[in-house]
């Protein structure tokens, strides 16, 4: 699942350096848009010949504005190609390159130096400098560096994250005038998606910044580890794309690219990529920005292993214990107990929440994650595996927290 990548000396020496110095400028002009695909440094190879970037702040709009030359003639390109070019030009300023830095010390030396652990992508959430990316992109970092579309590099710090959903939020440490010029991504709630729908991915695969690929949605509601409702696409996703946006044809972010299927374990793309939908990401980001962490609601119960119910041939979630003063305890729910002879007595088996069936622990946590602390829910249960009961429970915060220094 790990999708961060380190720079290759080959790209640094033979291509990236030449592009930045302008040595390939004439060639790129001659090859027009084909050159933007051919050369690795997408931001420079594409921008130098046909993009004049002007950074301006006006009284009416304090946003990053990138003024570009007119699009190629409609006689030269198809309507679909023109639409794709325009989509890239409009959305790429919101995509950033994130470098994960770790501190290391040489043996028998007190000198500490920085080593790039890997690279990933992210996208601007707002003009306050908040950046959304994958947790695995920033995991284990001593520091983070963010490269913007104009190649300015600034440090960033982690505000909060949800490792189980692979989501993290960063704060860009940049001057106020830079933050005011940022162009945040447009977010779509991803509630109405269809298999076969055209999608686009922008990211930094293998350190090749602001690379564009396209494809279609291949599947919906996939389960990827602890991530539910993942979107499957055939967009070319490689190490370094993690944390970057998956866009619809209007240039709106519908998901965050997260992982690929890699049977060989070599980090290569095999035509199957997964992304976390914005319908899940947005709620997590909103909580992190408000509280500095993700706050999840809980019933306050300990659940038994699923094997216990399977042996009884029952569906649901068996409550093992109900701590005193927990939300479930206050509602009257009970766990497993023993009679005077020491025999086990089944307590409540959760079979539904708010009318939604609960067949296993996955269903239970999916429903709870869609709710918030303070919500009042109706729990359906089988007391002792036989008696149908209903309880009204007010959810409280789950007792797990994460801190970032």
């Amino acid at each position: 699942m790990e999708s961060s990548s380190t720079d290759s000396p080959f790209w640094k020496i033979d291509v990236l350096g030449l592009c930045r110095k302008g040595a390939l400028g004439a060639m790129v002009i001659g090859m027009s848009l084909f050159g933007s695909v051919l050369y690795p440094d997408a931001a420079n190879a594409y921008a130098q010949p046909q993009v004049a970037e002007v950074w301006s702040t006006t009284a009416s709009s304090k946003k990053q504005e990138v003024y570009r030359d007119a699009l190629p003639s409609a006689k030269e390109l198809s309507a679909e190609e023109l639409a794709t070019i325009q989509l890239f030009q409009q959305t790429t300023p919101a995509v950033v390159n994130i470098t994960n830095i770790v501190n290391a010390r040489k043996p028998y030396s007190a000198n500490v130096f920085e080593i790039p652990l890997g690279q990933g992508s992210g996208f601007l959430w707002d003009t306050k400098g908040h950046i959304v990316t994958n947790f695995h992109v920033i995991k284990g970092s001593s520091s983070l560096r963010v490269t913007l579309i104009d190649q300015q590099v600034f440090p960033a710090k982690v505000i909060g994250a949800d490792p189980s959903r692979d989501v993290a939020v960063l704060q860009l440490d940049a001057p106020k005038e830079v933050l005011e010029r940022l162009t945040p991504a447009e977010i779509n709630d991803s509630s109405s998606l269809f298999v076969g729908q055209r999608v686009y991915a922008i990211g930094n695969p293998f350190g090749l910044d602001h690379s564009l690929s396209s494809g279609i949605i291949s599947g919906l509601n996939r389960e990827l580890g602890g991530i539910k409702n993942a979107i499957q696409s055939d967009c070319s996703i490689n190490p370094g794309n993690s944390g970057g946006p998956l866009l619809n044809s209007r240039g709106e972010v519908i998901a965050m690219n997260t992982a690929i299927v890699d049977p060989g374990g070599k980090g290569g793309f095999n035509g199957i990529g997964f992304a976390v939908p914005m319908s899940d990401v947005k709620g997590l980001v909103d909580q992190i920005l408000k509280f500095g962490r993700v706050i999840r609601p809980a019933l306050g119960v300990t659940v038994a292993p699923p094997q216990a119910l399977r042996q009884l041939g029952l569906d649901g979630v068996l409550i093992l214990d109900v701590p005193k003063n927990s939300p479930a305890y206050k509602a009257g729910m009970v766990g497993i107990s023993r009679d005077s002879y020491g025999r086990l007595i089944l307590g409540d088996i959760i079979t539904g929440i708010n009318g939604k069936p609960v067949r296993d622990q996955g269903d239970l946590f999916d429903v709870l994650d869609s709710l918030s602390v303070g919500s009042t829910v109706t729990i359906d249960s089988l007391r002792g595996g036989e008696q149908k009961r209903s309880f009204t429970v007010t959810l409280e915060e789950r007792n797990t927290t994460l801190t970032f220094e």
Side-chain angles (χ1 to χ4, degrees), residues 56-385:
S56 67
T57 302
T58 63
S60 60
S61 176
K62 295 185 177 181
K63 290 186 177 181
Q64 171 184 309
E65 297 182 4
V66 181
Y67 295 94
R68 303 179 182 276
D69 291 344
L71 290 172
S73 171
K75 297 180 180 179
E76 301 174 8
L77 300 172
S78 68
E80 181 180 358
E81 288 174 319
L82 288 170
T84 301
I85 294 169
Q86 187 173 21
L87 178 144
F88 177 76
Q89 292 181 349
Q90 291 176 347
T91 58
T92 192
V95 182
V96 301
N97 187 357
I98 300 171
T99 303
N100 185 323
I101 306 293
V102 295
N103 294 332
R105 180 179 288 120
K106 291 183 178 180
Y108 313 109
S109 173
N111 296 329
V112 177
F113 57 97
E114 296 181 335
I115 298 178
L117 181 63
Q119 288 188 331
S121 306
F123 53 94
L124 297 167
W125 191 258
D126 53 33
T127 56
K128 297 179 181 179
H130 295 129
I131 297 169
V132 176
T133 186
N134 284 141
F135 173 74
H136 75 260
V137 170
I138 56 93
K139 182 180 179 181
S141 63
S142 300
S143 61
L144 298 167
R145 293 175 186 165
V146 173
T147 305
L148 302 178
I149 181 65
D150 63 350
Q151 300 303 307
Q152 289 191 89
V153 180
F154 298 99
K157 65 178 181 179
V158 180
I159 297 177
D162 183 359
S164 66
R165 295 294 187 269
D166 205 10
V167 175
V169 179
L170 314 181
Q171 174 64 62
L172 185 68
D173 185 8
K176 182 179 180 181
E177 57 270 20
V178 173
L179 298 180
E180 291 176 341
R181 291 199 301 262
L182 297 179
T183 302
E186 293 187 23
I187 307 299
N188 183 289
D189 65 3
S190 68
S191 59
S192 299
L193 300 178
F194 301 92
V195 172
Q197 180 176 336
R198 175 69 64 179
V199 288
Y200 304 84
I202 300 180
N204 307 288
F206 302 109
L208 307 178
D209 62 301
H210 297 88
S211 297
L212 173 69
S213 64
S214 64
I216 62 170
I217 293 178
S218 306
L220 297 169
N221 301 316
R222 303 302 195 199
E223 185 172 348
L224 184 65
I227 300 174
K228 306 287 186 179
N229 306 317
I231 298 171
Q232 177 188 337
S233 80
D234 66 351
C235 281
S236 182
I237 304 297
N238 288 287
N241 273 111
S242 285
L246 187 69
L247 309 164
N248 62 17
S249 58
R250 294 189 298 274
E252 300 166 331
V253 181
I254 60 173
M256 178 170 59
N257 293 314
T258 298
I260 60 175
V261 171
D262 182 18
K266 297 181 180 179
F269 179 63
N270 289 280
I272 301 177
F274 297 99
V276 185
M278 280 297 107
S279 55
D280 292 349
V281 173
K282 188 178 184 305
L284 299 174
V285 173
D286 289 344
Q287 287 193 54
I288 291 173
L289 292 179
K290 185 175 181 179
F291 305 108
R293 56 194 174 92
V294 174
I295 298 178
R296 284 197 167 87
L299 295 171
V301 300
T302 303
V303 298
Q307 296 87 342
L309 278 186
R310 281 203 292 264
Q311 292 176 358
L312 297 174
L314 298 173
D315 289 334
V317 176
L318 175 61
I319 296 179
L320 184 64
D321 181 49
V322 181
K324 190 176 182 179
N325 295 324
S326 67
Y329 177 88
K330 297 173 183 176
M333 301 184 74
V334 298
I336 294 176
S337 60
R338 292 183 182 272
D339 62 14
S340 57
Y341 296 99
R343 295 174 297 191
L344 290 176
I345 301 176
L346 294 181
D348 287 308
I349 301 173
I350 300 174
T351 59
I353 300 181
N354 286 346
K356 298 180 180 179
V358 173
R359 292 175 291 270
D360 52 33
Q361 293 183 18
D363 289 344
L364 174 63
F365 293 128
D366 282 347
V367 176
L368 290 177
D369 284 346
S370 68
L371 301 170
S372 58
V373 174
S375 298
T376 299
V377 297
T378 300
I379 306 293
D380 298 322
S381 80
L382 285 177
R383 175 70 58 87

